[in-house]
């Protein structure tokens, strides 16, 4: 039997941030999740992230962990000319391109150090709430559980929230074709690049280990093209770009591994909380990379979800609704700004990807 004040479903950045904050507040925390075997996209931290890492007690460890600085964001959007947004005048300093696996391992270690109980495995199914307590019976995969609260940090699946009947509201559908490329020459760049193309837009960034991560954000229809999942098919799509292709060529970078598709829709839960539970990270809301929030949003919502639960446990009945209202406002602001950015790209008005976004 695991008895806890809070069960966290998901051991990614949002779940670990919640666990660290909750344990720091003196609550008993059990975290269910697995270390991700596959490489994941989501390796950029904005200049605001170090302040959040400071609150989690991992800033010094992070700075000594070999992550790369990100000094600027570049974009070829609305024209073929690259525009630059650098961080030289940002009082918070520069951002980072991180080793995602190393970053998540650091957060899990910090959660355990703070006192959270990490369980390598999937969260138990069938959690039911009775008399203000969540319970699940033991089975072959997990022990019996009893907890007052649940945090859903299960990612885009939002598995627990959906089990509670919550709907996921999709602002627009999208997929990302993800690949990694290894450079044969030293990478001398420290910026994130966004490049619009007829099919959507390319995202690329250097990551530790002499590699680039690449993702083409595009319509789900491309998901049905088997050739796109091959190095040749992805290479053909890259040939239609200019700056992204030249970036790889300049560093002698070649694709490694099989390209794969992941869901990249912009969406949020209709209500990211309920009696005795709250959602954080991608389970609560997901943004495009053009928002430049990424992992920073996961950390922030993880911390904020924990604070809301602590306040609720202390008798503040407004804490969870206030958290939900903040996320709804944030998503509405993001949606308006993202559509404004999409409207600013008018080179391919009849292309399905751009036509659908302009129509919104």
């Amino acid at each position: 039997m695991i008895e806890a004040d809070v069960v966290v479903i998901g051991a990614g950045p949002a779940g670990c941030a919640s666990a660290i904050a909750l344990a720091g507040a003196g609550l008993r925390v059990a975290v269910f999740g697995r270390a991700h075997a596959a490489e994941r996209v989501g390796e950029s931290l904005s200049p605001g992230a170090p302040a959040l890492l400071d609150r989690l007690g991992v800033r010094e460890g992070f700075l000594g962990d070999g992550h790369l600085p990100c000094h600027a964001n570049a974009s070829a959007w609305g024209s073929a000319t690259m525009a630059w947004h650098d961080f030289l005048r940002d009082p918070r300093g520069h951002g980072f391109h991180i080793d995602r696996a190393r970053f998540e391992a650091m957060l899990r270690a910090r959660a355990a150090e703070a006192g959270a109980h990490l369980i390598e495995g999937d969260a138990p199914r069938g959690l039911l709430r009775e008399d203000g307590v969540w319970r699940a019976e033991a089975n072959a995969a997990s022990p019996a559980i009893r907890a007052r609260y649940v945090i859903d940090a299960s990612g885009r699946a939002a598995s627990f929230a959906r089990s509670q009947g919550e709907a996921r509201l999709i602002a627009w559908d999208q997929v990302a074709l993800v690949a990694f490329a290894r450079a044969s020459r030293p990478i001398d760049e420290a910026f994130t690049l966004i490049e619009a193309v007829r099919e959507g837009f390319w995202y690329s960034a250097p990551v530790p280990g002499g590699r680039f991560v690449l993702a083409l954000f595009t319509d789900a229809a491309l998901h049905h093209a088997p050739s796109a999942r091959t190095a040749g098919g992805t290479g053909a799509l890259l040939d239609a770009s200019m700056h992204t292709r030249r970036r790889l060529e300049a560093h002698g970078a070649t694709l490694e591994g099989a390209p794969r598709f992941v869901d990249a829709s912009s969406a949020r839960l209709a209500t990211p909380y309920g009696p005795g539970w709250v959602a954080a990270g991608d389970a609560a809301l997901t943004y495009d990379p053009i928002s430049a929030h990424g992992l920073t949003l996961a950390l922030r919502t993880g911390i904020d979800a924990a604070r809301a639960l602590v306040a609720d446990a202390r008798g503040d009945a407004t804490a969870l609704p206030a958290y939900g209202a903040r996320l709804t406002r944030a998503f509405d602001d993001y949606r308006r700004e993202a559509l404004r950015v999409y409207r600013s790209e008018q080179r391919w008005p009849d292309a399905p990807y751009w036509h659908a976004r302009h129509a919104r």
Side-chain angles (χ1 to χ4, degrees), residues 188-213:
D188 54 0
E189 300 176 345
F191 63 89
T192 297
L193 172 62
I194 299 287
E195 180 181 7
V197 293
R198 174 175 287 275
E199 295 82 8
F201 65 91
W202 282 100
Y203 163 95
S204 65
V207 291
R211 298 190 304 161
F212 288 97
V213 59

Side-chain angles (χ1 to χ4, degrees), residues 13 17 27 54 63 104 123 154 156 160 164-165 203 220 254 292 303 360:
L27 275 66
D54 215 6
L63 294 176
E104 292 196 9
S154 62
R156 289 174 178 268
F160 180 82
Q164 301 305 302
Y203 163 95
T254 55
I303 293 171
R360 293 181 181 275

